[in-house]
Amino acid sequence: MKKRIGVLASGRGTNLQAIIDACKDGTIPDAEVAIVVSDVADAYALERAKAGGIATKVVLRGDFEKVKDFNMAIGDALEEAGVDLVCLAGYMRILSKSLVKRFYGRCLNIHPALLPSFPGLDGQKQAWDYGVKVSGCTVHYVDEGCDTGPVIIQRAVTVDEGCTVKELSAKILKEEHKAYPEAIRLHLSGRLTIAGRRVIISPG
Ligand code: GRF
């Protein structure tokens, strides 16, 4: 049976698309995106899901009085879809502690900087503003902090002389689209072990 991936996305969904494509072309073998859940009703990620014949669910924060119940509904939607793995792909909210706990060890995030540098919003711009010569992206397991979980994969890019934030972001995004499917492939093949801060990748 195919492994089922649930994706949480709030925006344009290019990483979602990379994951969908990687499942379809076998880069991620024996897996499929089973559901895309969004907290934004008109997120373009939902259009991508529909175009790929993937189930979607919108869960709006405004429909819940308590943040705890909102997170519960997100988790329920993922569990009802029977997901083996949750991937945050441009999901613009911090997961509640209980949601992190519910999916710990089977929830990944991608961040557009080389963590632990430049966590939080606009990682690319933070790095560019700082004047670094190298930046990149990080795929990591999700823990209770903001972009603090154990690192699975990082891909670096050089910050070219005179490049704009937009150019740097585009360069990083290209790497994101390779790194995320690769991390998912490793996780689903059972080759990853979390050992404290470290993710051990066993030989294939
Ligand atoms: C990406 O840069 C990702 O690293 C960050 O949010 C952005 C989402 O982009 N977490 P997209 O929606 O996947 O195109």
Side-chain angles (χ1 to χ4, degrees):
M1 223 176 69
K2 285 189 175 180
K3 291 277 167 62
R4 296 170 71 76
I5 301 169
V7 176
L8 277 179
S10 305
R12 62 189 173 176
T14 68
N15 278 287
L16 163 67
Q17 192 66 56
I19 297 166
I20 294 171
D21 294 346
C23 289
K24 289 207 167 129
D25 71 17
T27 306
I28 305 172
D30 305 320
E32 63 187 346
V33 178
I35 189 167
V36 173
V37 181
S38 184
D39 62 324
V40 176
D42 62 354
Y44 190 64
L46 293 167
E47 299 306 315
R48 293 180 189 272
K50 285 173 196 157
I54 296 162
T56 60
K57 174 120 189 177
V58 175
V59 182
L60 300 175
R61 172 67 186 92
D63 287 347
F64 300 85
E65 203 182 307
K66 292 181 181 150
V67 72
K68 165 174 141 279
D69 295 331
F70 165 72
N71 277 281
M72 181 79 85
I74 297 262
D76 289 349
L78 292 165
E79 238 157 45
E80 276 158 26
V83 303
D84 301 288
L85 174 68
V86 177
C87 293
L88 311 188
Y91 181 63
M92 299 307 286
R93 290 177 188 275
I94 307 269
L95 266 48
S96 68
K97 280 185 183 173
S98 58
L99 196 51
V100 170
K101 225 173 162 185
R102 198 163 164 184
F103 292 99
Y104 187 75
R106 52 187 188 114
C107 181
L108 312 184
N109 180 43
I110 186 154
H111 181 73
L114 294 176
L115 294 170
S117 293
F118 315 120
L121 286 179
D122 291 330
Q124 309 96 321
K125 183 171 185 304
Q126 290 184 55
W128 188 88
D129 285 345
Y130 196 89
V132 297
K133 302 294 188 192
V134 175
S135 191
C137 63
T138 305
V139 185
H140 62 90
Y141 282 106
V142 173
D143 70 3
E144 285 179 8
C146 175
D147 301 323
T148 53
V151 171
I152 300 169
I153 279 186
Q154 296 188 297
R155 290 179 76 102
V157 304
T158 53
V159 182
D160 299 324
E161 213 57 47
C163 84
T164 61
V165 185
K166 210 174 155 193
E167 287 162 345
L168 175 60
S169 302
K171 204 172 175 186
I172 293 171
L173 192 63
K174 262 190 167 173
E175 299 306 314
E176 293 185 37
H177 296 161
K178 295 178 204 155
Y180 217 167
E182 174 62 2
I184 294 169
R185 185 180 72 80
L186 288 170
H187 173 88
L188 291 179
S189 65
R191 288 174 56 195
L192 303 182
T193 309
I194 302 174
R197 275 237 47 93
R198 215 165 290 275
V199 174
I200 298 164
I201 305 177
S202 66

